[in-house]
Amino acid sequence: MTTETVEEAEQRLETFAETLATYDDPLVEQVADAVAESDVWSLESPSLSPNEWLDVLETAGDDIYLSAHEPAHEGMSDAEHTWYARHDGTGFVYGTERTGELYRAIATRTQPGRSGR
């Protein structure tokens, strides 16, 4: 990365940490603390359960979204996806990098065997 790119990334990370610090929520505070300990070369992540991450999304939906990358399996290059989830104040919005928004849900569902919200 160029010096200018690094400086821009550092500024964005600092601004993001400051934004998260404005929330009065213990789970968002854990995320804010992890971001504050991060740098542009290594992002820290708090140890939150899937349902706790969903609570963070619900609380800080205007400022944060989650992503997950599903790599392609051998011989299936079109099976690679990056998933995104955010909360828009009304419900959860899910999508992929390729298709954009796929669907909305008021409640969330986790893997079978785990409680949904």
Side-chain angles (χ1 to χ4, degrees):
M1 278 196 249
T2 66
T3 303
E4 184 178 317
T5 303
V6 171
E7 289 173 357
E8 288 176 12
E10 288 172 342
Q11 181 59 48
R12 288 183 69 191
L13 187 61
E14 183 179 331
T15 301
F16 184 50
E18 290 170 358
T19 299
L20 291 180
T22 64
Y23 286 89
D24 185 23
D25 178 271
L27 294 175
V28 177
E29 287 175 9
Q30 287 183 52
V31 176
D33 290 345
V35 170
E37 293 173 10
S38 298
D39 59 41
V40 295
W41 307 108
S42 175
L43 293 175
E44 301 295 325
S45 180
S47 180
L48 299 177
S49 72
N51 283 336
E52 287 173 325
W53 274 113
L54 293 173
D55 288 341
V56 168
L57 277 186
E58 237 175 318
T59 302
D62 289 338
D63 296 308
I64 195 169
Y65 67 90
L66 300 180
S67 69
H69 184 74
E70 180 182 9
H73 300 286
E74 190 173 328
M76 299 179 65
S77 62
D78 61 339
E80 183 173 345
H81 297 287
T82 300
W83 289 89
Y84 296 93
R86 65 182 176 87
H87 195 278
D88 67 0
T90 303
F92 290 91
V93 180
Y94 303 90
T96 70
E97 188 172 43
R98 278 190 210 154
T99 60
E101 185 176 307
L102 289 175
Y103 62 93
R104 294 173 172 269
I106 300 302
T108 60
R109 295 180 189 226
T110 57
Q111 295 177 354
R114 297 184 182 189
S115 61
R117 292 180 23 102

